[in-house]
Amino acid sequence: MNAARLFAGAAPRVRAVPPSTQFLDLLAERLCTDLPDSFALADALILLPNRRSVRALIEAFAARGASLLLPAIKPLGDVDDDADVWGADPVAFNIPPAIDPLRRRLELAQLIRAKDSAEGGVADPAGAIAAADELCKLLDSASAADNVDWSNLPNLVAERDLAQHWERAAQFLRIVAEYWPARLADEGLADPATRRTLLLDALAASWREKPPQTPVIIAGSTGSVAAVRRLMKVVAGLPRGVVILPGLDSDLDDEAWNEIDDQHPQHALQETLRELNLDRRAVPTLEGATENDHARARRALVRETLVPASRTADWLKRLDETAAPWGAPAAFVGRALEGVSLIEARNEEEEAAAIALLLREALETPGRTAALITPDHKLAQRVSAKLRRWNIAEQPAGGSALAEAPPGVMLTLLAELAADDGAPVSLAALLKHPLAQVGDAGAVAAFEADILRGPRKYTDLANLRGKKNEKYAALIDPLVDALIEKLAPLRAVFDGGEAQIGALAEAFAASAENICGPRIWAGRAGEAASSFLQALAESQEALGAVKPFQVPRLFATLLFGRVAAPEQEGHPRLAIWGPLEARLQHRDLMVLGGLNEGAWPAPPPNDPFLSRALRHRLGLPPAEARIGLAAHDFAQLANAPRVALTRSERAQGAPTIASRWLWRLQTLAKAVNHDLRASGAETLALTRAIDRPAALMPQHAPRPKPGARGITMQRLSITDVEKLIRDPYAVYAKNILKLKALRPVGGAPDPRELGNAIHKALELFPISDAPLADMFPALMAELDKQLQAYGFDAPMRAILAARLKGATKDYLRWAQARRAAGYVPFLETKGAMPVGGAIVAGIADRIEIRPDGMAEITDYKSGSPPTDKQINSGLAPQLLMEAAMLRVRCIPGVPQADTDRLIYWRFAGTNAGERICKVDGGVTAAAAETVSGLAELLAHYAGGDAPFLSKPRVEFINDIDDYDQLARRKEWAEHEDVE
């Protein structure tokens, strides 16, 4: 291909730059060389694809000492609203300003909500915002195309006899076709993409009428937008105008070129050349864009990798023909793949670790640069986290999500508390937020431990004062008062039951500042949060009224996609980019990560409003066009001298499929027996070796012997006695180490709460001689009250009420019969008895003294009670210990008595009722034997020779208990016998 200088020859001037060339460095060099002086350079106008490439070109000029008099450099894809000066000459157009993107979302969402309400649907604001976002994409897509006639849509639906839902979609799109353009015209505004099209078309018309004599260059754009293609045609014909195309392939055979579809990397360039009325082989290479033998081989291999699918039937023949300049196909593929490595990791974590290792390795060489390019945001985050292992921060690219920055997190928490100001998880997160200034650490810790952990047993913040443990009241009550005061704006805004988005934003701002002070707005993330709320406040009633329960989803939807600029610069030689940011960029090492199908390329987006056929008939760009642009990005990046391609074989535990481009490249390599995976084997081995221990050190079962140090248990509960037999280590951790398992914040009630609620209800409900029909609803009401007090919500209480209905009636009949027989009950009585140097304490559910003076002890069970075998073997000593306490007068308030009957009363949905235990040798003798055995067991542990083992008898292991993790059971239980 011939080479040409920038402005040499007659118009139209179009140049090409091969993908292996450092595009922006070459552009800066040619401008500095081909223009006569710095004043001519300052008169030039350069149009680039995006802001990132603008910054990179400025850096390229600075590297050449041309930083004082720079040309005007502007992004085609993101035209400045106030950009009225283009190059050396001012150019002003009568074009309406663009509507604020947030305002556009809100106003379109309001139209959607109004339509939903009129049709009897749910006017959900978050759903309306999501639908408005899809409408915005449709509007932008239409602006990128040539002539889209929305008024023809109803006719197209009728002509094609489509399903009824497409007719409804067509009716819905009247918002786009009729109302929205009129609405913008009345306000003197335009959609952002429409304004860009109008500006570019006006610029083209102005230059066509009065061509500028100063240099005008469009560089790096493929011309995927119709207005850009039209501007390119004008610029190519200017006296000193030139268009520079990236990666134009003039070597692809004509048959393949004519079969290019929307998903091919050359498709956008093909459309551009058609607009310019140029043959691709007539486009010269920009002077200075040289290719060595390796670059030519790589470009040829990538070209064959991405050849249209219709041309792969004779792939081996094509490979032979392409390889001819290098001899055999094997030599060609080997030459092309020099500097290319492939890493196929087992999972996402390993892929991220391997990429981080590659990036750090690049930094070991002075002056070497590296970049990760991936569309996978999660992979980028993982790699960034892995780099922090070595205290390396990558150079920030487009910023981070506002929703993940501290101010954005605070707004999200406030949205959750607007719906429910007592939400435990949200309250805990707010109080521990790094910007929050509510209460001291002691008060927050007490509030979390005493109120927020475990089931929620309150309704809202106002209901929290004086709750639970009185010893914490002095700490907790002031904290609750402070929270109520600081969140007052959020409550006040909903005094009428609903609020407008503008008033809600002001309430959010006030509450955020109450909680965090002015530092909530500090830094770039704080500025982004402030701008977000200010834009919402200025929108006033744009969205319509919002109810409290709608706020969390609404704010999550509104925050999605908003970006906060990075707070600080990272390593100057390291970057993490998305494919769009990486266009025209160059680093010594380019890591292309996340090369899995569905990630890179992403599947074509689904259009919720239009079928593919309707999009085509209307003139909208096909959804697959995005894949073509992504393929062009991949082709450009894969031609870098040193490239690492990475993917994970599994994602979120499921198998993945390699990207179609990577799969094709591997297929061609395998055709000549080239193992591309071998190139990344060393990196994978090093990655896996980083966290591999030098030697395995198996964990052994813990064998603590506190008795050897004179430490003994001073007090046990009756349930601890049973636990001492089944799991001594748990008793050691609880009673000697004084460790208590933390319940999850806002955790759901478990069987403990159910049992406590039933016990409390039966304790408080008086049994009388009233008819069962009167007593039953009263006891059910008491059960419901206690279930609510122990954290069960209304749906769960309704389920439990239905399940416990039969047991409640049976219990009332049983209790009334015993009352009639003269039994005197004592409910929930506490007892304590010295045994073996310790105090054993417990609470008896129900002790009854019969008229003959003998006692019966009943224990309520909401689950399955112990078997007679477990009682007689000593594994379930609870009732026998209570009998022993009663016999020696250790239960205050209950007269001394011998016990001859032990009862378990199962208060459950099935098999409810009493079960009388069969105790070998009688209750009195068995109780005495139990006390004696416990004394011996306590002496056994106090002696110091017996270790407190973790669940020493496998047959007695239940589910995972609170102290299993502390004992590290999973590390040793399968290979170590502790009995």
Side-chain angles (χ1 to χ4, degrees):
M1 183 184 296
N2 296 327
R5 298 179 67 184
L6 266 177
F7 305 107
R13 293 180 202 83
V14 180
R15 310 288 184 255
V17 173
S20 60
T21 302
Q22 300 179 27
F23 190 101
L24 296 176
D25 288 344
L26 175 63
L27 178 59
E29 180 183 347
R30 296 318 310 166
L31 283 166
C32 292
T33 302
D34 294 353
L35 291 175
D37 51 46
S38 59
F39 294 102
L41 178 64
D43 287 341
L45 168 63
I46 305 172
L47 302 178
L48 296 177
N50 53 48
R51 292 180 181 274
R52 180 74 200 180
S53 56
V54 170
R55 292 195 296 270
L57 181 58
I58 293 173
E59 293 170 1
F61 277 121
R64 285 159 177 77
S67 58
L68 293 179
L69 294 173
L70 290 180
I73 308 174
K74 293 190 174 294
L76 280 167
D78 189 11
V79 180
D80 290 320
D81 287 338
D82 58 352
D84 290 331
V85 178
W86 294 79
D89 300 320
V91 181
F93 301 112
N94 187 21
I95 295 174
I99 186 173
D100 178 77
L102 180 58
R103 180 182 172 188
R104 179 171 73 153
R105 294 175 76 193
L106 294 174
E107 292 196 4
L108 285 172
Q110 187 175 21
L111 293 174
I112 294 167
R113 293 187 73 192
K115 182 178 181 297
D116 288 344
S117 297
E119 295 177 353
V122 178
D124 173 42
I129 290 287
D133 289 341
E134 295 299 327
L135 273 182
C136 291
K137 293 177 185 177
L138 192 59
L139 288 166
D140 295 342
S141 180
S143 297
D146 275 312
N147 299 311
V148 177
D149 186 2
W150 292 110
S151 63
N152 197 33
L153 181 59
N155 299 329
L156 293 177
V157 173
E159 287 173 9
R160 300 183 66 86
D161 192 25
L162 297 177
Q164 190 175 9
H165 72 276
W166 291 117
E167 294 184 12
R168 291 196 297 269
Q171 294 172 3
F172 176 76
L173 287 178
R174 292 180 60 187
I175 294 175
V176 174
E178 299 175 9
Y179 178 83
W180 186 244
R183 169 80 176 84
L184 291 177
D186 289 342
E187 292 284 330
L189 298 171
D191 278 313
T194 300
R195 183 182 187 278
R196 180 188 64 183
T197 298
L198 292 173
L199 179 60
L200 294 178
D201 283 342
L203 193 61
S206 173
W207 286 345
R208 193 181 298 114
E209 179 180 348
K210 185 180 178 181
Q213 302 303 307
T214 53
V216 179
I217 302 102
I218 295 180
S221 173
T222 59
S224 59
V225 177
V228 173
R229 292 196 295 268
R230 293 191 290 269
L231 184 63
M232 283 178 167
K233 186 173 184 178
V234 173
V235 169
L238 293 178
R240 304 197 71 187
V242 63
V243 173
I244 307 174
L245 301 177
L248 176 63
D249 190 351
S250 59
D251 296 331
L252 184 64
D253 59 281
D254 291 336
E255 292 83 359
W257 178 265
N258 294 330
E259 294 178 13
I260 283 175
D261 60 7
D262 302 321
Q263 301 183 43
H264 193 274
Q266 294 291 307
H267 177 259
L269 291 170
Q270 186 185 60
E271 292 292 310
T272 298
L273 291 176
R274 188 176 292 119
E275 178 73 29
L276 298 175
N277 196 25
L278 283 176
D279 182 85
R280 59 195 168 107
R281 292 191 174 92
V283 178
T285 301
L286 181 62
E287 186 179 44
T290 58
E291 283 185 300
N292 57 27
D293 180 71
H294 172 238
R296 285 193 299 272
R298 176 76 62 77
R299 179 165 60 86
L301 181 61
V302 173
R303 180 180 67 243
E304 286 306 312
T305 297
L306 302 176
V307 73
S310 59
R311 309 305 301 173
T312 57
D314 58 347
W315 222 354
L316 292 178
K317 179 182 177 182
R318 293 180 61 88
L319 186 60
D320 288 338
E321 294 173 352
T322 304
W326 291 271
F332 159 63
V333 172
R335 179 62 170 151
L337 291 178
E338 289 178 7
V340 177
S341 60
L342 171 63
I343 296 173
E344 292 190 306
R346 291 175 293 196
N347 51 50
E348 310 104 304
E349 282 297 308
E350 186 174 88
E351 181 184 10
I355 293 171
L357 187 63
L358 285 171
L359 298 178
R360 183 198 165 170
E361 182 185 30
L363 296 181
E364 294 293 326
T365 302
R368 180 171 291 177
T369 59
L372 164 65
I373 299 94
T374 178
D376 188 341
H377 177 62
K378 291 184 178 179
L379 175 62
Q381 286 183 316
R382 284 192 173 99
V383 173
S384 181
K386 298 290 184 184
L387 287 170
R388 286 197 287 272
R389 165 187 283 177
W390 300 300
N391 198 27
I392 298 173
E394 77 282 1
Q395 191 175 36
S400 58
L402 175 58
E404 298 174 4
V409 172
M410 176 57 67
L411 296 183
T412 301
L413 294 173
L414 289 176
E416 294 168 359
L417 293 171
D420 177 8
D421 70 356
V425 174
S426 301
L427 282 174
L430 181 138
L431 290 170
K432 293 186 174 183
H433 192 282
L435 300 179
Q437 300 173 329
V438 186
D440 58 31
V444 171
F447 183 67
E448 178 186 323
D450 197 51
I451 300 292
L452 300 181
R453 290 194 174 274
R456 177 174 173 173
K457 300 176 182 178
Y458 58 90
T459 55
D460 54 22
L461 272 179
N463 183 244
L464 273 177
R465 294 197 89 261
K467 281 283 184 181
K468 290 188 75 173
N469 202 324
E470 289 298 327
K471 72 178 182 179
Y472 292 134
L475 284 172
I476 291 176
D477 284 350
L479 179 62
V480 172
D481 290 340
L483 281 170
I484 291 173
E485 179 184 355
K486 293 178 184 295
L487 294 175
L490 277 182
R491 289 193 309 276
V493 78
F494 286 112
D495 283 344
E498 55 187 21
Q500 298 292 337
I501 192 70
L504 191 57
E506 293 175 358
F508 265 70
S511 293
E513 196 157 338
N514 287 346
I515 291 168
C516 305
R519 63 177 183 161
I520 184 68
W521 317 123
R524 295 176 179 176
E527 291 174 6
S530 176
S531 298
F532 169 66
L533 291 181
Q534 184 176 358
L536 286 180
E538 291 172 354
S539 300
Q540 297 298 324
E541 301 181 4
L543 183 62
V546 176
K547 298 182 183 300
F549 73 89
Q550 297 171 327
V551 173
R553 283 187 62 238
L554 172 61
F555 263 73
T557 307
L558 288 171
L559 278 171
F560 180 77
R562 296 193 74 92
V563 175
E567 296 289 346
Q568 57 186 7
E569 295 296 324
H571 200 292
R573 294 191 284 127
L574 184 64
I576 296 180
W577 296 322
L580 179 63
E581 296 166 325
R583 288 179 184 173
L584 309 185
Q585 305 296 311
H586 169 79
R587 289 291 187 272
D588 296 328
L589 170 65
M590 304 288 272
V591 181
L592 311 188
L595 283 168
N596 281 329
E597 200 67 18
W600 200 4
N606 292 322
D607 190 331
F609 305 116
L610 296 173
S611 66
R612 295 190 180 191
L614 286 178
R615 286 182 65 93
H616 177 70
R617 292 286 298 277
L618 283 169
L620 287 166
E624 290 78 8
R626 293 188 181 185
I627 295 181
L629 294 176
H632 185 270
D633 290 336
F634 173 79
Q636 291 287 101
L637 296 167
N639 273 282
R642 188 180 175 205
V643 181
L645 311 173
T646 75
R647 64 175 291 259
S648 59
E649 294 176 338
R650 301 184 74 84
Q652 298 180 355
T656 61
I657 299 173
S659 167
R660 63 191 72 181
W661 310 317
L662 180 58
W663 179 87
R664 281 167 159 241
L665 182 62
Q666 287 180 283
T667 301
L668 286 176
K670 288 176 182 177
V672 296
N673 297 318
H674 185 103
D675 185 9
L676 191 54
R677 294 183 57 150
S679 59
E682 182 179 359
T683 300
L684 270 179
L686 290 173
T687 300
R688 292 166 182 170
I690 288 177
D691 294 319
R692 184 184 300 132
L696 293 177
M697 297 185 297
Q699 176 67 28
H700 298 288
R703 303 176 66 86
K705 298 178 181 179
R709 304 192 305 275
I711 303 173
T712 59
M713 290 177 287
Q714 303 298 315
R715 189 177 183 88
L716 293 90
S717 68
I718 292 179
T719 54
D720 287 338
V721 174
E722 179 176 340
K723 183 70 76 172
L724 188 62
I725 299 169
R726 297 176 181 267
D727 188 2
Y729 184 83
V731 177
Y732 161 77
K734 176 186 174 184
N735 294 71
I736 294 179
L737 297 182
K738 305 299 182 183
L739 299 176
K740 182 180 179 181
L742 291 175
R743 304 287 297 275
V745 174
D750 60 18
R752 284 175 289 186
E753 273 73 36
L754 176 59
N756 290 337
I758 292 173
H759 280 70
K760 195 66 176 179
L762 300 184
E763 175 191 359
L764 298 178
F765 187 78
I767 300 296
S768 66
D769 297 328
L772 181 63
D774 295 337
M775 296 188 68
F776 171 72
L779 181 52
M780 289 297 294
E782 184 63 37
L783 274 171
D784 184 76
K785 177 182 176 182
Q786 295 305 323
L787 287 170
Q788 183 177 5
Y790 278 92
F792 290 88
D793 57 22
M796 195 63 204
R797 296 202 307 274
I799 294 172
L800 290 173
R803 187 182 300 170
L804 298 177
K805 187 181 298 183
T808 303
K809 290 181 179 179
D810 291 344
Y811 170 78
L812 288 172
R813 294 189 188 98
W814 176 82
Q816 282 188 320
R818 299 173 80 79
R819 173 183 171 83
Y823 286 44
V824 179
F826 298 88
L827 307 179
E828 301 296 328
T829 52
K830 296 180 180 180
M833 177 175 65
V835 179
I839 300 297
V840 179
I843 300 175
D845 294 347
R846 186 183 186 99
I847 299 175
E848 293 171 298
I849 307 299
R850 297 198 305 260
D852 62 1
M854 296 297 289
E856 296 185 14
I857 300 177
T858 301
D859 189 58
Y860 304 126
K861 289 291 184 184
S862 56
S864 299
T867 63
D868 291 341
K869 183 178 180 181
Q870 290 172 328
I871 294 172
N872 290 316
S873 65
L875 290 175
Q878 177 180 349
L879 294 185
L880 290 173
M881 289 296 300
E882 292 173 5
M885 289 182 182
L886 183 61
R887 190 168 191 272
V888 296
R889 304 176 187 271
C890 286
I891 303 181
V894 182
Q896 184 276 334
D898 288 335
T899 305
D900 63 358
R901 183 176 293 179
L902 305 180
I903 300 170
Y904 283 108
W905 212 102
R906 190 163 188 260
F907 207 97
T910 57
N911 300 322
E914 72 170 2
R915 181 175 71 78
I916 300 174
C917 303
K918 298 177 181 178
V919 182
D920 296 342
V923 174
T924 300
E929 184 178 348
T930 297
V931 173
S932 174
L934 175 59
E936 293 179 5
L937 186 61
L938 292 174
H940 176 67
Y941 283 113
D945 294 329
F948 286 77
L949 301 177
S950 173
K951 296 180 178 177
R953 300 170 182 84
V954 177
E955 64 270 25
F956 301 138
I957 293 179
N958 297 321
D959 294 331
I960 296 175
D961 290 323
D962 290 338
Y963 299 100
D964 284 358
Q965 186 176 9
L966 183 67
R968 300 171 71 171
R969 280 196 62 84
K970 287 187 176 181
E971 299 183 47
W972 52 262
E974 294 183 1
H975 59 80
E976 187 167 331
D977 185 5
V978 297
E979 188 172 0

